[in-house]
């Protein structure tokens, strides 16, 4: 216990120290939000990867989808690596960096407002981000607290999970408020290295506890599919595609394609020092995703062996169903104490890196795109920084409260909570953002149609699935609802664009020409100016 506490204290000390020593980069709005668009490929790649993967993946997704699909869950990790990371960097990276730099956009709503010359679009996008970032943040707190409670046995000390959530909320506020984006990406890199070492050690230790890889696969192959008679359908959880291919594809779409439309992910391209860094960033982030996402889902694939070890409750006896969010903690409960300390630091690293990006994205968006110019007509740089920091505290507080409430809820698992958030966010922004970068014919009504479709689908489906509503959701899985929202966005935007009046051809042609004339541009200075602008 002493060793685990020392590891946590060391982790907290390093995290806060980085925030303190990077505070000078956060002295103005541009530095606080994007570190002056002066971040290199390695820092950007680790920031992208650590924002992508948090306790939600390691605890919630790995447990639930490993249970449902067995070793076939590894396909989700591969999709995250090659679709969510490699292809995303090549398709979005250079054009995002180039056009946002030309427009001077620091946030995704600001991009929509400038690209489509629409202030209402900008305000609506800001509202969507602030509202739907909250359930995602709450799910991160939830996953972190479950593992923390198990690792430190806090109940025996008379402490509950609320203490963990509040502690993480305070730590996130401190270092993001101090150093802004620069503190976030530097901490992300340190935390990313910890995650790589930690997940590798965890996989080896868990497989060893099952008697090795061969023995674990053999044990898993003897388990029949849910509802099958003993001896029937054995081996389904070790097959290439598992027992439920359609729903597996839904998860793969949500978690892989979703990264293309999430503002906290896309912002990593805004801050790149140069578009020439795309290739390095793409390779580093892909390798990172293969290790972290691939490792997490590979580990979760053996979740059905979890009842053989430990004493952590993983099944809801009343409902006769597994508590998905407790499966991975149960798998880890029998490991040596020193390894448990490493696991806690691993999950802390994964969670804090994601939390910092979420709170920074939400606070900057609300300040720059909603408060500035609408509620407060004229704001100084100092005023904007102050409001952003206040909003960071507000956002973290709301998310922590929801995380505490959700922890006690038997209805929504971590994966479902994140699916609602990702479905609304990526479903709203995916089509408008990609077509906005590549297609001059994209129209404002098409962007509105994507916003309305994605938010309407995910929210109405969620409400209909609540216990107090008379009906039932028209899409049983919120994960599939989120995936449908994303695919629908890619279809709706071009269809609506073709049947609505085209934007001014001369203006859009000039915008694309000026944005992409130096697509492989020179590095820029801390003020965001390229060499030719000087």
């Amino acid at each position: 216990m002493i060793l685990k506490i020392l590891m946590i204290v060391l982790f907290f000390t390093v995290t806060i120290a980085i925030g303190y020593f990077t505070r000078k980069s956060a002295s103005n709005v541009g530095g606080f939000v994007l570190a002056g668009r002066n971040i290199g490929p390695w820092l950007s790649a680790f920031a992208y990867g650590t924002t992508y993967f948090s306790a939600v993946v390691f605890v919630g997704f790995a447990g639930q989808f490993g249970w449902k699909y067995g070793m076939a869950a590894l396909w989700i990790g591969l999709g995250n690596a090659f679709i969510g990371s490699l292809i995303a960097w090549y398709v979005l990276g250079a054009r995002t960096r180039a056009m946002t730099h030309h427009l001077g956009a620091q946030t995704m709503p600001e991009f929509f407002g400038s690209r489509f010359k629409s202030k209402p679009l900008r305000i609506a996008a800001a509202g969507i981000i602030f509202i739907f970032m909250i359930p995602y943040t709450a799910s991160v707190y939830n996953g972190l607290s479950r593992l923390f409670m198990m690792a430190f046995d806090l109940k025996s000390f008379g402490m509950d999970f609320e203490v963990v959530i509040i502690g993480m909320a305070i730590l996130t506020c401190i270092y993001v408020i101090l150093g802004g984006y620069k503190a976030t990406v530097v901490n992300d890199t340190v935390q990313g290295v910890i995650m790589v070492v930690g997940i590798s050690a965890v996989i080896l230790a868990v497989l060893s506890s099952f008697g090795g890889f061969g023995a674990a696969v053999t044990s898993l192959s003897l388990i029949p599919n849910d509802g099958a008679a003993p001896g029937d359908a054995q081996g389904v959880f070790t097959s290439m595609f598992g027992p439920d291919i359609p729903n597996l594809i839904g998860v793969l779409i949500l978690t892989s394609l979703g990264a293309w439309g999430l503002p906290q992910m896309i912002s990593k391209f805004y801050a790149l020092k140069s578009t020439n860094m795309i290739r390095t960033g793409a390779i580093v982030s892909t390798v990172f995703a293969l290790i972290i996402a691939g490792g997490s889902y590979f580990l979760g694939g053996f979740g059905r062996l979890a009842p053989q070890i430990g004493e952590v409750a993983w099944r809801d006896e009343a409902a006769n169903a597994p508590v998905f969010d407790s499966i991975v903690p149960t798998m880890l409960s029998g490991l040596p104490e020193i390894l448990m300390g490493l696991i806690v630091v691993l999950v802390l690293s994964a969670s804090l890196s994601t939390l910092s990006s979420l709170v920074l994205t939400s606070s900057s968006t609300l300040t720059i795109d909603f408060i500035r110019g609408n509620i407060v007509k004229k704001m100084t740089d100092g005023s904007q920084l102050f409001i952003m920091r206040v909003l960071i505290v507000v956002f973290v507080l709301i998310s922590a409260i929801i995380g505490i409430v959700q922890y006690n809820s038997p209805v929504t698992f971590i994966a479902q909570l994140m699916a609602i958030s990702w479905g609304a966010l990526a479903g709203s922004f995916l089509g408008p953002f990609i077509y906005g970068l590549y297609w001059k014919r994209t129209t404002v009504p098409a962007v509105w149609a994507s916003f309305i479709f994605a938010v309407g689908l995910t929210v109405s489906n969620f409400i209909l699935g609540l216990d107090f509503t008379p009906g039932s959701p028209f899409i049983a899985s919120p994960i599939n609802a989120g995936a449908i929202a994303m695919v629908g966005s890619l279809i709706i935007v071009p269809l609506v664009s073709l049947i609505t009046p085209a934007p001014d051809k001369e203006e859009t042609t000039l915008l694309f020409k000026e944005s992409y004339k130096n697509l492989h541009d020179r590095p820029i200075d801390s003020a965001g100016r390229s060499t030719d602008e000087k």
Side-chain angles (χ1 to χ4, degrees):
M1 180 63 72
I2 293 175
L3 181 60
K4 286 190 288 188
I5 292 173
L6 288 175
M7 293 172 72
I8 296 300
V9 170
L10 178 61
F11 176 82
F12 283 8
T13 302
V14 171
T15 299
I16 294 174
I18 290 173
Y20 177 78
F21 287 113
T22 56
R23 70 192 187 283
K24 290 183 180 179
S25 67
S27 58
N28 56 61
V29 172
F32 189 81
V33 177
L34 293 176
R37 298 182 191 264
N38 202 32
I39 303 298
W42 281 80
L43 288 179
S44 295
F46 271 98
Y48 186 91
T50 54
T51 299
Y52 200 165
F53 309 115
S54 66
V56 173
V57 171
F58 186 72
V59 177
F61 274 30
Q64 179 166 341
F65 302 132
W67 178 274
K68 288 184 175 181
Y69 310 123
M71 294 184 66
L74 185 59
W75 284 107
I76 306 171
L78 295 175
N80 294 173
F82 292 106
I83 299 174
S85 298
L86 183 66
I87 300 176
W89 271 77
Y90 278 112
V91 173
L92 302 177
R95 285 184 174 247
T96 299
R97 166 62 178 76
M99 187 173 280
T100 57
H101 180 227
H102 172 71
L103 294 173
Q106 300 176 91
T107 65
M108 186 171 277
E110 197 170 14
F111 168 82
F112 287 131
S114 300
R115 166 66 178 86
F116 298 103
K117 293 181 170 55
S118 172
K119 188 175 181 180
L121 269 183
R122 180 175 175 176
I123 295 173
I128 291 171
I129 289 172
F130 186 77
I131 291 171
F132 290 99
M133 282 285 191
I134 291 174
Y136 184 22
T137 309
S139 68
V140 177
Y141 282 127
N142 193 327
L144 180 61
S145 60
R146 287 181 185 276
L147 195 62
F148 220 100
M149 289 294 295
M150 181 273 295
F152 285 89
D153 191 22
L154 295 182
K155 287 188 180 294
S156 65
F157 293 94
M159 300 168 65
D160 213 334
F161 63 93
E162 289 93 343
V163 177
V164 178
I165 292 179
I166 292 170
M168 296 308 100
I170 293 172
L171 181 62
T172 306
C173 286
I174 291 174
Y175 84 82
V176 177
I177 286 174
L178 281 174
Y181 187 77
K182 185 64 176 289
T184 297
V185 295
V186 174
N187 263 315
D188 286 350
T189 304
V190 174
Q191 292 161 358
V193 173
I194 295 172
M195 290 168 67
V196 169
V197 174
I199 195 70
S200 302
V202 167
I203 291 173
L204 292 174
V206 171
L207 288 180
S208 177
S209 70
F210 291 145
F213 176 70
V217 172
T218 300
S219 298
L220 192 62
S221 69
L222 299 176
I223 298 176
N225 194 6
D226 295 333
D232 292 343
Q234 289 185 349
V236 68
F237 296 109
T238 55
S239 65
M240 181 176 292
F241 297 109
D244 189 357
I245 295 176
N247 282 307
L248 177 62
I249 293 173
V251 178
L252 193 149
I253 292 173
L254 178 87
T255 60
S256 300
L257 196 59
W260 294 40
L262 295 175
Q264 71 271 21
M265 304 289 292
I266 300 301
S267 65
K268 306 303 183 284
F269 302 137
Y270 290 31
L272 275 171
K273 191 174 183 179
S274 167
T275 54
N276 292 322
M277 299 173 176
I278 296 298
R279 183 173 180 273
T280 301
I283 293 172
V284 174
S285 66
T286 302
V287 172
F288 182 83
L290 281 170
I291 296 171
I292 303 302
S296 295
Y297 288 112
F298 174 77
L299 181 67
F302 295 99
R304 287 178 179 262
L305 304 182
Q308 297 180 12
I309 62 171
E311 297 178 357
V312 178
W314 64 275
R315 178 175 285 275
D316 182 348
E317 297 296 342
N320 191 30
V323 179
F324 294 125
D325 301 340
S326 296
I327 291 174
V328 169
T330 302
M331 295 176 72
L332 305 177
S333 61
L335 299 182
E337 290 299 312
I338 186 171
L339 190 55
M340 284 307 308
L342 179 61
I343 291 169
V344 171
V345 175
L346 154 68
V347 179
L348 270 174
S349 298
S351 301
L352 287 181
S353 56
T354 301
L355 287 171
S356 61
S357 290
L358 293 175
V359 300
L360 185 59
T361 299
S362 184
S363 65
S364 60
T365 294
L366 201 62
T367 302
I368 294 172
D369 302 303
F370 186 75
I371 296 176
R372 188 181 71 181
N374 296 302
I375 297 176
V376 181
K377 297 299 181 183
K378 293 184 179 180
M379 294 180 67
T380 64
D381 209 60
S383 298
Q384 292 180 63
L385 281 175
F386 175 75
I387 291 176
M388 283 182 198
R389 286 172 166 138
V390 171
L391 286 174
I392 285 173
V393 176
V394 172
F395 181 81
V396 167
L397 179 62
I398 295 172
S399 302
I401 292 172
I402 293 177
I404 291 171
V405 172
Q406 196 272 331
Y407 188 97
N408 289 306
S409 170
V411 178
T412 305
F413 295 109
I414 292 175
Q416 278 65 29
L417 195 64
M418 197 192 99
I420 295 165
S421 174
W422 277 39
L425 287 167
S428 295
F429 302 144
L430 181 61
F433 189 75
I434 294 176
Y435 290 111
L437 292 176
Y438 279 90
W439 193 32
K440 301 172 188 176
R441 185 65 173 75
T442 310
T443 65
V444 171
V447 179
W448 278 115
S450 180
F451 287 7
I452 293 169
F453 172 74
V455 172
L457 175 66
T458 53
V459 172
S460 61
N461 196 62
F462 170 72
I463 292 174
L464 288 173
L466 296 175
D467 288 342
F468 57 79
T469 57
S472 59
F474 37 86
I475 302 173
S477 167
I479 293 164
N480 289 338
I484 292 171
M486 294 173 194
V487 175
S489 175
L490 293 173
I491 298 171
I492 287 170
V493 172
L495 288 179
V496 176
S497 292
L498 291 173
I499 62 174
T500 51
D504 187 280
K505 186 175 181 180
E506 186 176 337
E507 286 186 0
T508 53
T509 299
L510 180 62
L511 170 63
F512 274 66
K513 180 180 178 181
E514 291 298 314
S515 296
Y516 301 144
K517 65 181 179 181
N518 293 315
L519 195 57
H520 298 288
D521 58 2
R522 301 182 183 93
I524 60 175
D525 65 11
S526 59
R529 299 176 301 171
S530 61
T531 306
D532 57 342
E533 288 176 324
K534 293 181 183 178

